[in-house]
Amino acid sequence: MTGTQETPVALLHGVGLDATMWAPVQDALGRESIAIDLPGHGQQPPLTEPVTLQEMADDVLARLPERSHLVGFSLGALIAQHIARFHPGRVKTLTCVSSVCRRTDAERSAVSARLASAEADFPATVEASIDRWYSGTAVPQSVVDATRRTLAANDVQSFVHAYRVFALGDRAIGNELSRIGVPALAITGEHDPGSTPEMTRRLAAAIPGAKAAVVPGARHMLPVQDADVLARAINEFIKDSEGERA
């Protein structure tokens, strides 16, 4: 650490979740952090009409610290990328956790099918998400059940509006990634079926100077499944970017 005022870490969650998902990571970081509810999530009012990635990013930006080490997970990563691109003075470093990037036709078809499922049968979408995120992991059942409760508590229409941004947001930011100028890290789980290691390598290749990391054995909910590993990666990346290492 230096003797100067520490730049906080700001944490943005994924679609259907809320700021509380970051608690294990915040405990492990050992530095000042703030977790923010995305529009339509947690303590924020439900989304009542379609929104864009830019609108969600602008909403989040108004509630961020003046400058932060910005960490986004899944949908939160797309929002973080937008903020880093268009408001670089507010972002000291960018960490994209379990992020999609420039989906292929097949990947777009898969997420479009999940969006249609959410509109048609939300309870089934909740269960499919839980299975996709946690199947085969050692995450305690109590934690899995807590995630299920958070998902199930969503206003369905609000969830659909947010999920549509997640489904289309990589198109909105994809052509802008090469213009992100802050230090960036892309990290995901080895077994994440949606935000795959290939996507993380795609993202790191698209952002100048970005680093890529893949956590062995992890699925999509990396901040929950391997909070200590993720926190260590974030801390090491921040120290590297600030030249704090001896």
Side-chain angles (χ1 to χ4, degrees):
M1 297 282 183
T2 65
T4 59
Q5 180 70 33
E6 185 177 81
T7 302
V9 175
L11 302 151
L12 309 180
H13 62 80
V15 66
L17 302 171
D18 62 26
T20 63
M21 68 159 282
W22 289 110
V25 174
Q26 290 181 281
D27 288 344
L29 278 172
R31 61 169 68 227
E32 182 184 352
S33 65
I34 176 174
I36 295 173
D37 284 327
L38 300 185
H41 295 76
Q43 299 303 306
Q44 297 299 303
L47 299 171
T48 58
E49 57 187 15
V51 292
T52 64
L53 180 63
Q54 178 179 338
E55 288 169 337
M56 293 191 85
D58 287 346
D59 183 290
V60 168
L61 187 69
R63 294 181 282 124
L64 281 176
E66 182 177 351
R67 198 167 189 223
S68 66
H69 295 289
L70 188 55
V71 179
F73 167 75
S74 197
L75 171 58
L78 296 176
I79 292 171
Q81 290 159 27
H82 193 283
I83 292 171
R85 164 65 181 95
F86 294 103
H87 305 276
R90 301 287 298 276
V91 181
K92 195 164 186 181
T93 64
L94 169 68
T95 299
C96 301
V97 183
S98 308
S99 179
V100 298
C101 179
R102 296 177 175 173
R103 290 182 177 99
T104 63
D105 288 344
E107 289 162 348
R108 277 197 296 271
S109 293
V111 76
S112 294
R114 293 199 295 273
L115 174 60
S117 176
E119 293 179 291
D121 189 346
F122 182 67
T125 290
V126 170
E127 292 309 313
S129 297
I130 292 296
D131 182 66
R132 196 167 60 251
W133 297 351
Y134 289 121
S135 178
T137 71
V139 175
Q141 188 61 43
S142 60
V143 175
V144 176
D145 289 342
T147 301
R148 179 183 284 107
R149 286 194 297 272
T150 299
L151 282 173
N154 275 272
D155 176 276
V156 176
Q157 194 58 49
S158 181
F159 177 91
V160 169
H161 289 320
Y163 203 93
R164 185 169 287 107
V165 175
F166 173 66
L168 302 176
D170 61 307
R171 284 184 176 180
I173 195 63
N175 290 335
E176 299 291 338
L177 296 173
S178 64
R179 296 178 177 87
I180 292 176
V182 304
L185 168 67
I187 183 169
T188 197
E190 177 187 12
H191 301 308
D192 190 328
S195 304
T196 62
E198 172 56 31
M199 282 192 185
T200 279
R201 287 187 282 267
R202 212 179 285 165
L203 181 58
I207 300 175
K211 301 176 181 179
V214 176
V215 178
R219 290 184 69 85
H220 186 61
M221 290 292 278
L222 180 57
V224 175
Q225 183 181 352
D226 282 306
D228 289 349
V229 174
L230 178 57
R232 185 162 59 249
I234 293 169
N235 275 328
E236 289 177 356
F237 171 59
I238 288 173
K239 289 175 182 177
D240 283 346
S241 71
E242 293 182 335
E244 291 181 355
R245 286 197 165 187

